[in-house]
Amino acid sequence: MSSELTVLAAYLFTLALTLLAMIMGFIIVFQAYRGYRRHNSRPMLYLAIGLALVTIAPFLLSVMFTIAGDFLSLGSFAFAYMLPILSRCAEIIGLGCILYSLYMQ
């Protein structure tokens, strides 16, 4: 019983940290998007998109895989390989958008 509570507490703590990081990322993305809207600056738009893919997308994927894993009985393959691959792809595309925003005219 005690180990189940420890696992549950660790899971809830991890979820809380994930949600906090996601909220902070969302605030940063929102500010970049406001900068785009205020100044009609395409680099700010790409910066907002890139930051969303780097900060929010991996967390959303993690939460979605965790929820879907319970309902769809996803095996360890999905968590060990598919989730990291999708997260890294989102981060790479996001970093590409950020780089593009820094170097575009």
Side-chain angles (χ1 to χ4, degrees):
M1 184 70 171
S2 175
S3 69
E4 290 176 8
L5 288 176
T6 304
V7 170
L8 179 62
Y11 175 77
L12 291 176
F13 184 68
T14 303
L15 180 63
L17 289 177
T18 300
L19 292 175
L20 177 63
M22 217 167 74
I23 290 167
M24 292 172 70
F26 179 75
I27 292 169
I28 294 168
V29 168
F30 181 71
Q31 290 300 324
Y33 180 74
R34 283 183 59 203
Y36 157 70
R37 297 287 294 174
R38 184 178 302 133
H39 302 289
N40 200 21
S41 170
R42 286 187 58 94
M44 286 300 283
L45 176 63
Y46 282 97
L47 180 64
I49 292 169
L51 287 170
L53 289 171
V54 169
T55 61
I56 298 172
F59 297 121
L60 282 177
L61 285 169
S62 176
V63 170
M64 287 176 13
F65 264 70
T66 302
I67 292 169
D70 291 340
F71 290 116
L72 301 176
S73 299
L74 295 176
S76 61
F77 178 79
F79 290 99
Y81 298 103
M82 295 308 298
L83 177 59
I85 288 171
L86 290 174
S87 293
R88 292 303 135 337
C89 287
E91 291 169 355
I92 289 168
I93 294 168
L95 290 171
C97 288
I98 292 171
L99 281 172
Y100 184 69
S101 77
L102 295 173
Y103 290 106
M104 71 185 307
Q105 298 293 331

